[in-house]
Amino acid sequence: MKVKNCKFIEIPPIKDGIDGYLTVIEDTKHIPFEVKRVYFINHLTSKFALRGRHAHRQLEQVMYCMNGSCTVSLDDGYQKQNISLNSADKGLYIGTNLWHTMSEFREDCVLVVLASDKYKEADYIRDYQEFLRTAAK
Ligand code: TYD
């Protein structure tokens, strides 16, 4: 990875032949934190849809694209990187102080996000200039 504070977390599915796949995600075993919240994003019908555009001070997250695909643009304040998420068994860990934007949602994309804490608006950095100042510290 070119940017800091991120990595792929791959979880191989249990393949049950004609009966499909089963994938298990256990916190602390697969996820590097205790999962306190799960949310999902769907109905991404517009090709102009754009989500994220913020960083978190403390929150850690792992994002799975359960269906379809999307692009996650990451920026650690120094380096930028675009990542294509297109497989249910390859999640993206997004650590702290990482500006992230999700776009280019395709084929009925469904994102499932596991988070290390409950929703706290105060944990968001939504101003890009403030993010750059925080990243430089
Ligand atoms: P936001 O995190 O900005 O969405 P995204 O990063 O996907 O673009 O959240 C959008 C709105 O939803 C915002 O008003 C806060 C609210 N929200 C909650 O109330 N609880 C949550 O757990 C999340 C993730 C968002």
Side-chain angles (χ1 to χ4, degrees):
M1 291 285 192
K2 215 165 117 188
V3 296
K4 290 188 286 189
N5 291 353
C6 70
K7 62 182 173 185
F8 286 117
I9 296 184
E10 287 190 54
I11 302 183
I14 298 165
K15 297 182 179 177
D16 285 326
I18 60 165
D19 300 315
Y21 289 11
L22 183 150
T23 304
V24 186
I25 306 172
E26 284 185 34
D27 64 351
T28 63
K29 182 171 172 190
H30 303 111
I31 306 297
F33 51 79
E34 198 183 323
V35 176
K36 295 235 180 91
R37 176 167 52 113
V38 177
Y39 62 91
F40 58 88
I41 299 169
N42 58 355
H43 287 277
L44 293 153
T45 48
S46 168
K47 65 177 180 177
F48 302 111
L50 204 58
R51 302 210 58 115
R53 287 181 288 177
H54 60 253
H56 287 283
R57 300 172 204 279
Q58 304 279 334
L59 191 75
E60 298 170 85
Q61 305 192 93
V62 181
M63 184 178 288
Y64 285 91
C65 182
M66 291 294 172
N67 192 53
S69 65
C70 74
T71 300
V72 185
S73 304
L74 299 173
D75 176 349
D76 64 14
Y78 296 92
Q79 303 278 356
K80 295 182 183 186
Q81 183 170 4
N82 279 345
I83 284 164
S84 176
L85 272 193
N86 53 19
S87 161
D89 35 276
K90 194 169 180 182
L92 178 66
Y93 168 81
I94 301 175
T96 57
N97 291 311
L98 202 46
W99 191 266
H100 54 282
T101 303
M102 293 81 84
S103 64
E104 299 180 325
F105 302 100
R106 301 273 183 272
E107 296 155 51
D108 223 353
C109 176
V110 178
L111 290 177
V112 175
V113 185
L114 314 179
S116 66
D117 202 357
K118 302 208 167 119
Y119 169 73
K120 290 175 187 158
E121 184 57 37
D123 188 71
Y124 282 71
I125 305 172
R126 294 195 185 270
D127 179 84
Y128 188 67
Q129 297 308 318
E130 185 191 349
F131 160 71
L132 289 180
R133 286 194 297 275
T134 307
K137 280 180 194 161

